[in-house]
């Protein structure tokens, strides 16, 4: 059945994928131009995480239109961002600016400006524009309250629709309107239909099922299975200059701060669309096949495994999800048909890109727009208020899993999804760490971290602080899960099967106290009610011992440094 469906897909029924209802910059611009004052003098501002060459703000403007890029020191100093993220953004902006300049466009580039407003005021005064065009930022509220920016820079501001995503706001809102709860899996199926992705001629999923995740749960990676080296771009002169500037301007304030020589060795992210295309090719050819089966696996042998690492170029606009989907399908469909590539890997990857990523963006956009007393980012449904332990910053802890997951974060601003969810967020969930502090940490620490994508993942998926808007249950797990899905426990000084005593695994010890603390909420959820029923198997004295030891240990680790 699967082969027949694939055959039809690739021969009789040419895919319409990605035509859908997505907003295209050129469509918007044609409609808009008719309404714009023909005499207005327009300038375009490119924001650092919008270096996409197809930005709607650039569409249709004439070649003389001045374009401005601003590196704001004030913005970068407000938070201890990872140096990897700052180098990435500055280098990607500088490459984009140079490309535009080489094409004869008038570019005004403010290197290390004091702040956005003063640089933009200078741009407005120097060019004589009366309208500054900017694409709607990815982070909601980034331009401040209506009218504020106009007042600050002294000219009209025109916001063009954001076209960095596959699904536009009206389409998602219409889909959401018809539902009482917004379930990702339902949205994903609708996206498959809308984009005509991995469907047979009758509009049914290739392979007969929408979600093939049950084939994607391999935990142990065979010792003789070679793990591919991650794709790496050697820093060119522009990136090296960005490294020197970031080191000189922000130095030790940065997350993961280290010497410029070390930064040159560690910085390997794509900084141009050509680099990002090469990264995608590398993923398709060397890692997609094993992406599915080992998607949830973790190992101290490799930080990169078979993941794509494409969130970094995608989130700053170097790679459009449309291109990822089109090229993945072009590469994968003939191979799946021939039987040389597993469909579960392709479906699993496509689901992350057209499902989870788009869903998270829109759920957060809608939540952030609400005028609620408790804004989404401030929610704390489980009343967790313990401060974030020091080891999230230093990586120094005796917990082998946490240490191994933090190492690539500190060095590269990256670790893959399962360490984020089932180790770093899970630790915080079980131990009642403040969701707001955890969210801030994720935004600072990751090269792909921005408010719009980190917040729903941390507040919603990781810490269940939104009370179940994003996740259908809290992702809480003890040491047994981590032991099953990784090789970390083999080298750990703690034992995953011990819940009390000096060798007790902190995850295992904290698990039942967590269930006990939240039993009323967990009992009402069909996906977690069994957890609460199982709680009765634990004696009262055993529960008390775990609660007391867990609490005492947590109090001790704020200033704790491991012995070795
Ligand atoms: C606590 C927590 C914090 C996170 N913070 C971020 C963040 O700051 N920025 C970010 O881009 N992602 C974040 N994620 C989602 C996910 O972990 C990363 O997108 C993924 O690990 C990026 O690595 P990759 O490109 O190798 O992904 P792959 O495993 O190769 O997946 C392919 C793509 O799917 C998308 N994707 C997969 N899962 C998600 C998800 N849950 N939400 C949104 N997109 C998803 C990403 O764009 C990713 O590039 C977070 C997840 C958790 C649990
Ligand atoms: S024993 Fe516990 S703390 Fe140690 S690696 Fe395993 S899960 Fe992590």
């Amino acid at each position: 059945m699967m082969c027949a469906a694939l055959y039809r897909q690739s021969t009789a029924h040419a895919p319409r994928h990605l035509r859908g209802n997505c907003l295209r910059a050129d469509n918007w611009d044609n409609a808009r131009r008719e309404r714009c004052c023909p005499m207005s003098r327009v300038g375009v501002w490119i924001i650092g995480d919008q270096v996409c060459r197809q930005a709607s703000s650039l569409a249709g403007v004439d070649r003389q239109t001045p374009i401005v890029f601003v590196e704001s020191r004030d913005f970068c100093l407000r938070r201890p961002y990872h140096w990897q993220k700052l180098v990435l953004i500055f280098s990607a902006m500088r490459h984009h600016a140079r490309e535009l300049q080489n094409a004869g466009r008038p570019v005004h580039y403010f290197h290390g400006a004091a702040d956005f407003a003063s640089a933009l005021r200078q741009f407005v005064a120097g060019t004589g524009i009366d309208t500054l065009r900017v694409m709607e930022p990815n982070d909601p509220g980034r331009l401040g309250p209506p009218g504020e920016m106009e007042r600050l820079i002294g000219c009209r501001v025109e916001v063009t629709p954001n076209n960095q995503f596959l699904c536009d706001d009206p389409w998602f809102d219409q889909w959401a309107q018809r539902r009482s709860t917004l379930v990702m899996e339902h949205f994903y199926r609708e996206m498959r239909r809308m984009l005509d992705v991995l469907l047979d001629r009758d509009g049914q999923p290739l392979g007969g099922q929408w979600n093939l995740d049950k084939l994607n749960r391999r935990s142990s990676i065979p010792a003789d299975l070679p793990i591919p080296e991650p794709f790496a771009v050697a820093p060119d002169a522009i990136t090296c200059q960005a490294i020197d500037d970031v080191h000189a301007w922000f130095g030790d304030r940065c997350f993961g701060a280290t010497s410029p020589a070390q930064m040159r060795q560690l910085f390997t992210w794509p900084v141009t669309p050509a680099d990002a295309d090469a990264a995608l090719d590398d993923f398709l050819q060397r890692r997609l096949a094993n992406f599915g089966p080992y998607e949830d696996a973790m190992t101290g042998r490799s930080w990169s495994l078979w993941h794509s690492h494409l969130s970094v170029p995608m989130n700053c606009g170097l790679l459009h999800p449309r291109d990822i989907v089109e090229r993945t399908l072009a590469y994968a469909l003939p191979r799946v048909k021939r039987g040389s590539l597993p469909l579960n890997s392709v479906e699993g990857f496509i689901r992350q890109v057209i499902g989870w990523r788009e869903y998270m963006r829109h759920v957060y956009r809608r939540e952030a727009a609400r005028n609620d007393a408790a804004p989404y980012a401030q929610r704390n449904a489980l009343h967790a208020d313990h401060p974030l332990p020091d080891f999230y910053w230093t990586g120094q802890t005796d917990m082998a899993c946490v240490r191994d997951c933090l190492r690539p974060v500190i060095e590269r601003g990256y670790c893959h999804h399962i360490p984020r969810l089932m180790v770093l967020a899970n630790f915080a969930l079980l131990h009642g760490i403040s969701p707001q502090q955890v969210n801030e940490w994720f935004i600072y620490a990751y090269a792909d971290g921005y408010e719009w994508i980190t917040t729903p993942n941390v507040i919603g998926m990781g810490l269940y602080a939104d009370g179940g808007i994003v996740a259908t249950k809290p992702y809480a797990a003890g040491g047994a899960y981590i032991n099953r899905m990784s090789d970390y426990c083999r080298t750990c000084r703690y034992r995953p099967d011990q819940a009390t005593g000096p060798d007790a695994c902190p995850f295992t010890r904290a698990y039942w106290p967590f269930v006990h603390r939240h039993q009323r909420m967990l009992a009402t959820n069909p996906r977690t009610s069994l957890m609460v029923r199982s709680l009765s198997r634990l004696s009262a004295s055993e529960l008390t011992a775990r609660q007391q030891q867990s609490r005492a240990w947590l109090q001790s680790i704020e200033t704790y440094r491991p012995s070795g």
Side-chain angles (χ1 to χ4, degrees):
M1 177 191 170
M2 186 175 110
C3 291
L6 286 173
Y7 181 74
R8 282 199 298 278
Q9 166 76 9
S10 56
T11 55
H13 181 67
R16 283 181 287 115
H17 60 263
L18 313 178
R19 275 189 237 147
N21 296 336
C22 306
L23 269 185
R24 302 277 178 161
D26 41 356
N27 292 346
W28 176 84
D29 197 70
N30 288 340
R32 181 84 183 182
R33 206 173 325 154
E34 287 161 18
R35 280 182 275 129
C36 276
C37 165
M39 301 307 288
S40 66
R41 292 184 307 280
V42 175
V44 173
W45 176 29
I46 306 285
I47 299 181
D49 61 352
Q50 296 192 333
V51 291
C52 41
R53 296 341 189 221
Q54 312 301 327
S56 64
S57 52
L58 282 173
V61 295
D62 69 45
R63 296 181 55 76
Q64 302 316 315
T65 302
I67 300 167
V68 64
F69 293 79
V70 182
E71 296 170 4
S72 161
R73 290 202 211 192
D74 167 66
F75 185 84
C76 300
L77 283 168
R78 274 189 228 155
R79 291 164 150 186
Y81 292 114
H82 203 301
W83 65 264
Q84 290 265 7
K85 178 150 57 193
L86 300 182
V87 171
L88 168 81
I89 297 288
F90 287 179
S91 178
M93 285 167 68
R94 292 175 190 190
H95 278 94
H96 189 13
R98 190 184 61 170
E99 208 179 287
L100 288 163
Q101 244 160 2
N102 289 346
R105 310 290 290 265
V107 171
H108 299 245
Y109 198 102
F110 290 82
H111 289 89
D115 55 56
F116 287 121
S118 57
L120 291 173
R121 267 199 305 274
Q122 211 178 314
F123 172 69
V124 171
T127 54
I129 61 161
D130 56 25
T131 304
L132 183 72
R133 250 192 190 200
V134 58
M135 185 157 84
E136 183 199 346
N138 304 340
D139 285 338
R142 170 93 186 267
L143 297 179
E148 165 134 323
M149 206 176 143
E150 269 103 341
R151 192 180 54 74
L152 280 174
I153 66 170
C155 89
R156 191 173 154 258
V157 174
E158 186 181 285
V159 181
T160 65
N162 188 307
N163 63 358
Q164 260 180 253
F165 297 88
L166 285 166
C167 170
D168 64 30
D169 300 358
W171 192 90
F172 188 92
D173 292 343
Q174 212 177 2
W175 173 81
Q177 233 170 32
R178 290 177 269 132
R179 286 165 170 80
S180 53
T181 49
L182 305 183
V183 178
M184 198 307 279
E185 187 64 28
H186 300 163
F187 167 73
Y188 164 60
R189 291 178 190 187
E190 207 66 27
M191 284 292 279
R192 289 260 298 265
R193 292 194 191 97
M194 189 265 272
L195 301 171
D196 194 359
V197 166
L198 297 178
L199 299 181
D200 66 16
R201 195 172 42 190
D202 303 323
Q204 293 306 307
L206 290 187
Q209 285 171 34
W210 291 101
N211 183 321
L212 301 174
D213 239 5
K214 63 177 182 305
L215 300 171
N216 288 347
R217 303 248 161 79
R218 270 191 228 171
S219 51
S220 62
I221 300 167
D224 58 351
L225 180 64
I227 300 175
E229 284 299 309
F231 179 78
V233 180
D236 64 4
I238 291 181
T239 301
C240 287
Q241 184 60 53
I243 286 173
D244 290 343
D245 290 343
V246 165
H247 188 263
W249 295 338
F250 312 114
D252 288 346
R253 289 183 56 94
C254 287
F255 191 98
T258 183
S259 68
Q262 189 71 3
M263 289 161 81
R264 282 189 179 80
Q265 280 191 2
L266 288 171
F267 188 87
T268 55
W269 297 117
V271 289
T272 65
D275 292 345
D277 281 351
L280 172 58
D281 282 343
D282 185 76
F283 167 68
L284 295 176
Q285 287 162 25
R286 299 199 305 135
R287 297 196 297 284
L288 176 60
N290 275 331
F291 173 87
Y294 299 108
E295 192 181 351
D296 288 358
M298 299 182 281
T299 172
R301 286 163 60 201
S302 161
W303 58 268
S304 50
L305 292 176
W306 290 274
H307 289 268
S308 71
H309 324 131
L310 293 174
S311 54
V312 176
M314 211 181 340
N315 291 357
C316 69
L318 289 171
L319 193 56
H320 198 284
R322 184 193 309 121
D323 296 329
I324 295 186
V325 177
E326 280 177 347
R327 288 186 34 213
T328 301
L329 295 180
Y331 175 87
L333 285 175
R335 287 169 174 81
V336 172
K337 189 181 143 200
R338 286 201 301 270
S340 59
L341 187 64
L343 180 60
N344 48 301
S345 279
V346 182
E347 187 279 317
F349 178 66
I350 291 286
R351 176 158 24 89
Q352 309 308 316
V353 176
I354 73 170
W356 276 113
R357 185 171 188 270
E358 301 281 324
Y359 171 85
M360 288 301 207
R361 163 177 161 72
H362 285 289
V363 169
Y364 182 56
R365 171 184 63 77
R366 287 164 61 88
E367 289 295 325
R370 280 178 200 272
N371 213 357
D372 278 0
Y376 186 86
Q378 299 308 320
R379 299 213 184 132
N380 193 353
L382 303 184
H383 307 289
D385 57 6
H386 195 85
L388 189 74
D390 278 1
F391 62 70
Y392 279 83
W393 298 97
T394 62
Q396 292 177 29
T397 165
D398 283 347
M399 292 177 284
C401 55
V402 174
R403 200 174 53 225
D404 272 27
C405 294
L406 284 172
R407 191 175 305 121
V409 180
I410 291 169
E411 290 182 351
R412 300 168 188 281
Y414 175 91
C415 67
H416 71 78
H417 183 68
I418 298 301
R420 295 188 206 206
L421 181 63
M422 298 311 296
V423 177
L424 301 175
N426 182 27
F427 179 91
L429 175 71
L430 292 175
H431 290 90
I433 311 291
S434 152
Q436 282 64 46
Q437 290 192 20
V438 178
N439 193 32
E440 293 276 292
W441 180 83
F442 269 96
I443 294 175
Y444 306 152
Y446 283 80
D448 62 14
Y450 303 88
E451 179 199 321
W452 67 269
I453 182 78
T454 313
T455 308
N457 269 297
V458 175
I459 300 290
M461 184 185 277
L463 298 194
Y464 206 73
D466 66 359
I469 293 173
V470 161
T472 49
K473 60 165 190 167
Y475 286 96
Y481 171 88
I482 295 174
N483 192 26
R484 194 168 61 249
M485 300 308 292
S486 76
D487 52 13
Y488 298 138
C489 301
R490 287 182 215 158
T491 56
C492 188
R493 82 161 250 10
Y494 300 114
R495 301 254 322 259
D497 56 352
Q498 294 208 3
T500 51
D503 294 336
C505 162
F507 288 84
T508 306
R509 183 175 52 208
Y511 180 79
W512 288 114
F514 169 83
V515 174
H516 181 258
R517 250 188 348 265
H518 302 294
Q519 56 181 309
R520 278 177 56 189
M521 178 272 292
L522 296 170
T524 59
N525 181 341
R527 296 200 65 196
T528 50
S529 54
L530 183 65
M531 282 157 85
V532 179
R533 287 200 295 279
S534 306
L535 184 62
S536 59
R537 293 210 297 263
L538 202 67
S539 70
S541 60
E542 180 64 19
L543 178 64
T544 306
R546 293 180 190 200
Q547 286 168 328
Q548 286 173 348
Q549 290 178 23
S550 190
R551 212 174 298 131
W553 179 80
L554 189 60
Q555 295 303 336
S556 76
I557 58 170
E558 267 159 86
T559 53
Y560 162 90
R561 289 284 183 278
S563 43

